[in-house]
């Protein structure tokens, strides 16, 4: 049957929208064929009706009391003539509120689970400026206050924020939804000798006053608000990229990230200009709970990617890619999180391919595919959280965090690329970023855009892609692409040899990158013996390895096999590193045996204070 383009579009929209209604039964979905508006259930603000244009902050960072205090002034446009502005807060104390200079009686609602407390501010038709005097609380989820002991130099305290997904509200009163954007300026007062940095135009060195001024004149959502304060140095990479770190880390960091300038160029070549001015990185102390965070102009990252041989910099490619997917074109709600992370994983691998070649990128794709399989098995094949579009109504916004948005998302894009050809797909993506720059998009609008600009009524193509199986269906669709892998084939051969008794020293591991080593360890069976572990360690010295990805895999194997010679190094790792991706599997592996359980409890009691509040919260539930 030859389908008329319009009938086809209507049909596709119908299929997509019925699937979408299914996906979000309890969500308000107002849909037309081309436009779908879905309420963000993770903000209590009404910034969809009152426009927040600009934020000006004047805050003081107090390390003694572990508190941020000051004022936040919002420039608003009350175009719908409402009489109440609602903002998100979490554990904030609101001291006073002024509207156009006049003190008003604002009311803080009681807290709602996962959401915090709405701050209700009476406004009038002509209200343009709302100032809130406030301070942060003890349970500020975005803030990690480090004692000197928890830093590299162990001399000065350190503070950093992590606002994604819904934690900005714990350090400033705001409209905390990814669909709401605004520009900001800030004046931040910190102890003398400390440097303050934000997701904005940044200073390069400490000044005498302890007062720093910031400006972000491109509109961003609240989850990209970021602040770090500590004893920090800067080194340039080229004229638009550079790195910040504690003085004792700065040279290592500068060395590791030497290629980042080239990454920015590679990214621009793929999908258009980098629009944020500078691209700098800040290496945080080891307690940082995640690998990296794409704060605009200043990626925050874990020191665990500083391996000494530049082998883990694909993480920077990922955070850089967010400067397009995420920061420029932003997921409308956390239900659409795959639009941020799936696109970014795809883009990351394209950057790595252009720098390191196809064989290299294929390894990243394969490791990602394996993560996807593992994660689907963990979640269960029929779990609706394995759909790309998920439903987080009434749930923690972070419940959507898994390998699904990343790996199922990126593989979906890879599938489209394979089917339409790279040239067409790249042109499509570039146009997508251009046309949606500084805007928000949800899954349904993306699918209409995909249909209008790429599928264009080609029913054979649509059938091949089977979009609804990916977006509104569970597990790994049958047409999921998986590339052959030249380099991993060699690794698997060596792995097989070892398991059949070849001594490790006789294995051919020449030229292996960190990826090959990961594959080598991942493919070791759970039944590996202590004796085999000892042999491997004797030749490859995994227990002492400086590469955190390999070390983490090795330590998990050591726990399983009861290989005690690795325990001291593992304990050291758990005592300094706070990256959840590493520490959670280690504790989980320990919790599986009676002896391990004792060890987990002992180590966790000792090191809990080094971990981020959110890591503590999830580990508290697991370790008991
Ligand atoms: N934006 C994420 C980090 C994030 C996601 C924070 C959800 C809070 C909630 C960041 O870009 C990311 O994906 N980081 C990964 C690294 C990456 C190479 C997959 C990480 O931290 O492991
Ligand atoms: Zn990401």
């Amino acid at each position: 049957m030859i389908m008329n383009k319009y009938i086809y579009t209507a049909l596709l929209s119908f299929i997509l929208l019925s699937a979408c209604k299914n996906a979000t039964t309890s969500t308000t979905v107002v849909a037309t064929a081309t436009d779908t508006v879905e309420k963000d259930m993770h903000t209590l603000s009404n910034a969809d009706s009152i426009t927040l244009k600009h934020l000006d902050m004047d805050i003081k960072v107090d390390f003694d009391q572990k508190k941020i205090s000051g004022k936040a002034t919002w420039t608003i446009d009350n175009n719908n003539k409402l009489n109440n502005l609602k903002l998100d807060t979490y554990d904030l104390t609101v001291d006073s509120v002024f509207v156009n200079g006049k003190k008003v009686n604002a009311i803080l609602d009681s807290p709602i689970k996962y959401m915090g407390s709405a701050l209700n501010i009476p406004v009038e038709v002509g209200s343009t400026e709302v100032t809130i005097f406030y301070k942060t609380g003890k349970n500020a989820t975005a803030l990690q206050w480090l004692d000197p002991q928890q830093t590299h130099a162990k001399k000065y305290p350190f503070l950093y924020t992590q606002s994604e997904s819904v934690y900005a509200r714990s350090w400033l009163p705001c409209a905390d939804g990814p669909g709401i954007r605004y520009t900001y300026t800030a004046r931040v007062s910190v102890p003398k000798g400390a440097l303050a940095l934000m997701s904005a135009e940044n200073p390069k060195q400490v000044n005498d006053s302890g007062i720093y001024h910031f400006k972000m004149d491109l509109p961003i959502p609240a989850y990209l608000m970021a602040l770090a304060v500590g004893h920090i140095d800067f080194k340039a990479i080229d004229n638009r990229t550079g790195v910040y770190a504690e003085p004792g880390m700065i040279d290592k960091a500068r060395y590791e990230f030497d290629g980042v300038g080239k990454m920015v160029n590679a990214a621009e070549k793929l999908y258009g200009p980098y629009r944020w001015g500078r691209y700098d990185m800040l290496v945080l102390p080891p307690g940082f709970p995640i690998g990296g965070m794409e704060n605009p102009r200043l990626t925050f990252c874990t020191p665990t990617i500083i391996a000494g041989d530049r082998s883990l910099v694909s993480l920077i490619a990922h955070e850089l890619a967010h400067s397009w997917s995420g920061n420029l074109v932003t997921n409308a709600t956390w239900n659409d999180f795959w639009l941020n992370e799936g696109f970014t994983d795809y883009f990351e691998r394209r950057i790595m391919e252009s720098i390191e070649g196809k064989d290299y990128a294929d390894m990243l794709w394969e490791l990602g595919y394996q993560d996807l399989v593992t994660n689907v098995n963990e979640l269960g094949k029929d779990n609706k959280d394995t759909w790309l579009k998920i439903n987080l109504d009434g749930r923690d916004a972070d419940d959507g965090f898994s390998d699904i948005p990343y790996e199922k998302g990126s593989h979906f894009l890879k599938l489209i690329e394979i089917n339409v050809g790279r040239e067409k797909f790249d042109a499509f993506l570039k146009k997508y970023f251009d046309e949606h720059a500084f805007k928000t998009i949800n899954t349904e609008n993306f699918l209409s855009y995909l249909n209008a600009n790429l599928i264009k009524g080609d029913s054979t193509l649509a059938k091949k892609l089977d979009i609804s199986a990916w977006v509104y269906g569970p597990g790994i669709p049958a047409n999921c692409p998986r590339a052959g892998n030249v380099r991993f084939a060699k690794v698997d051969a060596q792995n097989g040899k070892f398991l059949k008794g070849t001594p490790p020293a006789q294995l051919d591991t020449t030229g292996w990158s960190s990826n090959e080593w990961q594959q080598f360890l991942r493919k070791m069976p759970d039944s590996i013996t202590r004796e085999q572990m000892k042999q491997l360690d004797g030749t490859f010295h995994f227990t002492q390895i400086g590469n955190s990805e390999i070390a983490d895999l090795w330590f998990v194997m050591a726990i399983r096999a009861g290989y005690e010679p690795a325990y001291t190094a593992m304990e050291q790792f758990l005592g300094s590193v706070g990256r959840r991706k590493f520490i959670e599997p280690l504790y989980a592996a320990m919790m599986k045996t009676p002896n391990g359980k004792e060890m987990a409890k002992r180590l966790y009691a000792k090191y809990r204070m080094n971990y981020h509040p959110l890591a503590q919260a999830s580990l508290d539930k697991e370790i008991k």
Side-chain angles (χ1 to χ4, degrees):
M1 184 176 92
I2 299 166
M3 246 193 276
N4 166 304
K5 183 175 163 196
Y6 296 104
I7 299 177
Y8 176 81
T9 309
L11 190 65
L12 181 79
S13 305
F14 174 76
I15 296 167
L16 295 178
L17 291 174
S18 20
C20 141
K21 285 209 182 83
N22 243 335
T24 52
T25 29
S26 51
T27 313
T28 333
V29 179
V30 190
T32 65
T34 52
D35 183 26
T36 305
V37 183
E38 183 178 318
K39 185 156 171 37
D40 177 357
M41 302 308 283
H42 290 98
T43 173
L44 297 169
S45 81
N46 59 353
D48 46 353
S49 309
I50 297 186
T51 311
L52 299 183
K53 295 196 293 201
H54 182 82
L55 163 69
D56 181 57
M57 295 171 87
D58 186 349
I59 54 174
K60 181 170 177 243
V61 175
D62 181 341
F63 280 99
D64 294 331
Q65 295 195 52
K66 301 196 167 160
K67 200 159 68 185
I68 293 176
S69 60
K71 63 175 180 180
T73 300
W74 286 98
T75 308
I76 67 166
D77 192 344
N78 190 7
N79 28 19
N80 287 324
K81 306 181 174 52
L82 302 192
N83 56 19
N84 185 28
L85 169 66
K86 271 178 178 292
L87 294 178
D88 292 299
T89 75
Y90 184 94
D91 199 31
L92 295 184
T93 303
V94 174
D95 295 319
S96 56
V97 179
F98 295 79
V99 174
N100 285 22
K102 261 198 358 231
K103 190 162 181 178
V104 297
N105 201 4
I107 294 166
L108 203 55
D109 290 344
S110 3
I112 297 176
K113 200 173 180 192
Y114 306 130
M115 304 284 273
S117 310
L119 175 63
N120 298 277
I121 303 169
V123 289
E124 290 168 8
V125 178
S127 300
T128 53
E129 206 179 83
V130 175
T131 299
I132 302 130
F133 286 82
Y134 73 98
K135 34 183 150 348
T136 58
K138 287 219 162 10
N139 301 314
T141 28
L143 304 181
Q144 193 167 12
W145 298 92
L146 302 182
D147 294 328
Q149 265 312 310
Q150 296 165 297
T151 65
H152 190 263
K154 310 201 184 305
K155 273 201 214 138
Y156 309 100
F158 202 107
L159 165 70
Y160 55 78
T161 64
Q162 169 54 41
S163 299
E164 191 179 14
S165 48
V166 293
Y167 308 113
R169 64 191 71 176
S170 77
W171 67 285
L172 64 136
C174 58
D176 197 1
I180 304 151
R181 311 178 84 92
Y182 55 88
T183 56
Y184 80 87
T185 42
R187 176 185 186 273
V188 180
S189 157
V190 304
K192 293 238 165 82
L195 182 68
L197 300 168
M198 292 190 83
S199 48
E201 282 177 30
N202 275 307
K204 293 207 174 69
Q205 62 193 38
V206 175
N207 65 32
D208 293 335
S209 67
I211 293 169
Y212 296 90
H213 292 270
F214 300 91
K215 184 172 87 186
M216 168 46 79
D217 51 18
L218 299 168
I220 61 165
Y223 80 88
L224 296 176
M225 293 296 295
L227 170 70
V229 182
H231 280 68
I232 300 168
D233 277 355
F234 173 79
K235 276 213 160 144
I237 294 171
D238 62 20
N239 58 11
R240 68 166 160 176
T241 59
V243 56
Y244 292 90
E246 282 191 70
M249 280 299 278
I250 191 78
D251 288 327
K252 280 189 197 150
R254 170 66 188 77
Y255 176 83
E256 206 75 17
F257 299 149
D258 192 56
V260 171
K262 282 191 206 94
M263 278 185 184
V264 184
N265 300 340
E268 286 189 310
K269 229 174 169 176
L270 283 164
Y271 301 125
Y274 177 77
R275 307 192 193 218
W276 303 87
R278 293 193 56 85
Y279 181 76
D280 294 315
M281 291 149 285
L282 167 63
V283 179
L284 290 165
F288 190 51
I290 58 176
M293 178 63 210
E294 66 271 26
N295 298 314
R297 293 180 69 101
L298 184 66
T299 283
F300 283 18
C301 67
T302 167
T304 60
I305 55 169
I306 302 190
D309 59 2
R310 302 174 180 164
S311 58
L312 298 176
V313 291
S314 63
L315 184 135
I316 298 297
H318 178 97
E319 305 314 333
L320 167 66
H322 273 304
S323 307
W324 287 258
S325 43
N327 299 4
L328 198 60
V329 183
T330 308
N331 54 205
T333 75
W334 299 114
N335 291 342
D336 307 296
F337 187 50
W338 77 276
L339 291 177
N340 270 20
E341 298 300 343
F343 276 65
T344 299
D345 256 8
Y346 176 84
F347 194 169
E348 165 202 330
R349 289 166 192 164
R350 292 296 305 276
I351 294 173
M352 292 315 289
E353 180 177 330
S354 73
I355 291 172
E356 300 285 349
K358 181 170 182 304
D359 285 0
Y360 190 94
D362 280 349
M363 295 193 287
L364 298 177
W365 278 108
E366 172 60 20
L367 292 171
Y369 181 84
Q370 293 171 12
D371 290 339
L372 177 59
V373 173
T374 308
N375 200 211
V376 166
N377 287 336
E378 280 162 5
L379 291 169
K381 274 208 309 295
D382 298 323
N383 191 328
K384 281 195 169 183
D385 286 347
T386 66
W387 297 21
L388 284 179
K389 174 83 180 195
I390 55 171
N391 182 2
L392 293 167
D393 275 18
R395 300 166 65 191
D396 187 332
D398 281 345
D399 280 359
F401 185 83
S402 73
D403 287 317
I404 304 301
Y406 289 82
E407 297 303 342
K408 189 172 175 182
S410 58
H411 280 81
F412 175 48
L413 298 180
K414 174 96 172 153
L415 173 75
I416 304 176
E417 181 213 304
I418 292 170
N419 276 282
V420 302
R422 184 168 271 192
E423 206 177 317
K424 258 190 172 171
F425 190 54
D426 281 353
F428 165 79
L429 280 183
K430 185 164 184 303
K431 186 165 160 224
Y432 167 72
F433 290 132
D434 283 343
E435 289 180 4
H436 296 86
F438 302 106
K439 289 188 188 142
T440 292
I441 188 158
N442 67 13
T443 302
E444 289 64 39
N445 286 336
F446 169 70
L447 294 180
S448 324
Y449 187 82
L450 176 69
N451 184 46
N453 292 281
L454 201 61
I455 299 178
K456 295 181 179 161
D458 180 342
S459 55
T460 318
L461 175 61
K463 218 169 150 191
K464 270 199 213 149
L465 297 178
D466 199 4
I467 293 173
S468 59
W470 283 85
V471 180
Y472 305 110
I476 306 174
N479 59 357
C480 183
R482 185 174 180 185
N485 214 292
V486 193
R487 287 171 67 168
F488 280 177
K490 289 185 187 154
V491 174
D492 294 347
Q494 300 306 308
N495 186 307
K497 272 187 167 177
F498 169 72
L499 292 173
K500 285 204 192 92
T502 305
Q506 287 172 29
L507 300 178
D508 182 6
T509 62
T510 33
W512 281 13
S513 71
S514 159
N515 301 321
E516 274 110 341
W517 286 111
Q518 283 183 59
Q519 170 75 358
F520 185 65
L521 292 187
R522 280 182 181 206
K523 285 289 153 83
M524 289 296 168
D526 284 0
S527 58
I528 189 164
T529 64
R530 266 177 259 185
E531 182 50 36
Q532 285 172 313
M533 295 285 289
K534 192 174 150 200
Q535 282 180 22
L536 289 172
D537 214 8
T539 304
F540 302 124
H541 312 291
F542 289 125
T543 296
Q544 305 306 332
I545 206 155
N547 182 303
S548 57
E549 294 281 351
I550 301 169
D552 193 58
L553 281 169
W554 178 251
F555 293 146
V556 170
M557 287 169 65
I559 294 165
R560 269 199 215 122
Y563 177 65
E564 288 180 10
Y567 286 8
T568 311
M570 179 192 68
E571 179 170 345
Q572 231 166 29
F573 188 76
L574 281 172
S576 56
V577 171
R579 189 172 170 191
R580 294 174 68 177
K581 171 184 160 186
F582 291 153
I583 62 174
E584 291 179 1
L586 281 173
Y587 281 113
M590 285 184 236
M591 291 304 287
K592 285 195 178 128
T593 65
N595 282 345
K597 228 178 198 171
E598 283 317 301
M599 180 156 73
K601 281 190 198 160
R602 179 173 60 80
L603 296 180
Y604 187 54
K606 201 163 158 191
Y607 299 126
R608 183 180 181 279
M609 59 151 201
N610 287 351
Y611 304 144
H612 187 275
L614 292 173
Q616 289 179 352
S618 64
L619 286 169
D620 284 352
K621 280 190 222 141
E622 302 300 323
I623 306 170
K624 46 182 179 208

